[in-house]
Each structure stands twice: as structure tokens, then as C-alpha cells.
Amino acid sequence: MTTIAIPGVQLAVIVTYFEMKQKPSAADEQSDLIFSAWDRPDLDEYRKLFRKIGDKWLWFGRLLMSDEELRSTLYNDKIEIVRIQHGENIVGFVELDFSDPGHCEIVYFGLVPEMNGKGYGRSLMAETLDRAWKDGIERVWLHTCTNDSQRAPSFYQRAGFTAYKREVDMHDDPRLTGHLPMEAGPHVPVIS
């Protein structure tokens, strides 16, 4: 067994990668969610929703980007963003990356905390997979990490994904860098 000391200002997470190499049968998941393309989102609106969904899980990747970097990423023709509404409220989004020919990465997939645990994830995944499996796509993949919900890996497996790789990632704690509030990710202790 190998033990590695992690400096207190950093987080170490185990990242698990999942893939699906065959389009699943169409799922009959009915819900009252509304899915629509979110072309060229306003950057402040995007960041606000990203934080509302991701603060709990210590999402920070998009928060490190300048406006120019974020605009270049989100406005790329190979990126598709789907905004999710429940009634008049925007409650989530999915970001799909088609830049690698034959592959689709589900980059971000999430709902605001008040929508979690109510069965909406299944209809969100069914819609996401329907949009991901375009003509010519041979593989859909995503990753999750130990900062995410403990239910995420089994959720992805029930959706038809198979785990294929694991890595350890180390990065500065985004709460200590000021990118996230100190109360974000309450399941991960802050060590400073």
C-alpha cells in the first residue's frame, strides 16, 4: 500500500471514467422537465447556474476561466449545451462535447440541489443520451470523482455506462483560492 501526504491547500480526488459503446434502447422516462438548446449562453447566467448546481460538489473548472476562455469553449460549434426548465425555473444543464470525431463527452450534467432525489435524473439522462447518440457517434463517455455524489457511479452504471479507468487528481482547493465559498462541498473538509 502506498500512502501519499497531500498538502492541506490541495485536494486529491479519485476520478472514475465511464463509457458507453452502444446506443441504449430508448428509455420511456416521462417528466415535466423542459429541455432546450442553450446556444451562446450569457456568461454570467452560465456561471450562476454552474455555481448553483456545482458548489455542493466542488465544481470549479469553468470558474477558473477568463471570459474569453469561457466564451471560446462554450461558443465552439462542437459544444452543445442543453438548458433544463421546470415550469418557469431553470433547474439544470447538460454540456456535450463532440470535438473528438465519433465520440461524445458528457462534460457537465446536473440539476440544482432542490431537484435532486426526486427521480428527475433518469429523465435527464434519457434526454442526454438521446442527444449524445447522433449519427456517427460510436462512444459516449463521462467522468465523476469522489467530490461528487456517492450515488453518481451507480447511477451511471444503471444508465448503461461501464467504468474503464481510474486516476488520482490533485488540485488547489477552490474554497481556499476564493473560487468557491468556504461552505461549498460540505462533505469535503477544508484543511488550511
Side-chain angles (χ1 to χ4, degrees), residues 3-44:
T3 302
I4 300 171
I6 309 297
V9 297
Q10 292 202 316
L11 290 177
V13 296
I14 298 171
V15 181
T16 304
Y17 294 81
F18 291 87
E19 67 185 355
M20 181 182 289
K21 293 184 176 181
Q22 186 174 346
K23 183 176 181 175
S25 301
D28 187 23
E29 293 292 339
Q30 300 296 318
S31 79
D32 51 356
L33 296 178
I34 302 165
F35 303 93
S36 60
W38 195 14
D39 298 325
R40 299 183 174 271
D42 174 82
L43 299 184
D44 289 336

Side-chain angles (χ1 to χ4, degrees), residues 37-78:
W38 195 14
D39 298 325
R40 299 183 174 271
D42 174 82
L43 299 184
D44 289 336
E45 251 183 80
Y46 175 91
R47 284 186 181 114
K48 183 179 177 184
L49 184 57
F50 183 92
R51 300 248 350 238
K52 191 170 183 183
I53 295 167
D55 275 9
K56 180 176 180 179
W57 310 117
L58 297 177
W59 287 10
F60 66 93
R62 297 291 190 236
L63 303 178
L64 302 178
M65 296 178 156
S66 68
D67 283 357
E68 183 178 314
E69 291 170 317
L70 185 58
R71 189 177 296 109
S72 176
T73 298
L74 299 182
Y75 294 9
N76 181 322
D77 290 341
K78 301 290 185 184

Side-chain angles (χ1 to χ4, degrees), residues 139-157:
R139 176 177 174 257
V140 175
W141 69 280
L142 55 81
H143 69 275
T144 188
C145 74
T146 49
N147 285 347
D148 204 352
S149 169
Q150 292 178 351
R151 298 181 310 188
S154 61
F155 173 79
Y156 296 138
Q157 289 173 319

Side-chain angles (χ1 to χ4, degrees), residues 49-157:
L49 184 57
F50 183 92
R51 300 248 350 238
K52 191 170 183 183
I53 295 167
D55 275 9
K56 180 176 180 179
W57 310 117
L58 297 177
W59 287 10
F60 66 93
R62 297 291 190 236
L63 303 178
L64 302 178
M65 296 178 156
S66 68
D67 283 357
E68 183 178 314
E69 291 170 317
L70 185 58
R71 189 177 296 109
S72 176
T73 298
L74 299 182
Y75 294 9
N76 181 322
D77 290 341
K78 301 290 185 184
I79 301 292
E80 290 185 19
I81 305 170
V82 179
R83 185 168 52 189
I84 299 111
Q85 285 181 248
H86 185 252
E88 296 296 315
N89 300 315
I90 297 171
V91 296
F93 77 98
V94 173
E95 190 175 317
L96 303 173
D97 183 346
F98 294 95
S99 58
D100 186 5
H103 301 254
C104 174
E105 178 187 1
I106 302 173
V107 182
Y108 288 102
F109 174 95
L111 295 167
V112 296
E114 56 269 26
M115 297 296 287
N116 291 327
K118 298 180 179 177
Y120 288 111
R122 290 187 304 274
S123 59
L124 176 55
M125 181 55 79
E127 179 72 19
T128 298
L129 290 174
D130 188 53
R131 290 172 183 258
W133 283 102
K134 296 178 180 288
D135 286 342
I137 295 298
E138 300 167 359
R139 176 177 174 257
V140 175
W141 69 280
L142 55 81
H143 69 275
T144 188
C145 74
T146 49
N147 285 347
D148 204 352
S149 169
Q150 292 178 351
R151 298 181 310 188
S154 61
F155 173 79
Y156 296 138
Q157 289 173 319

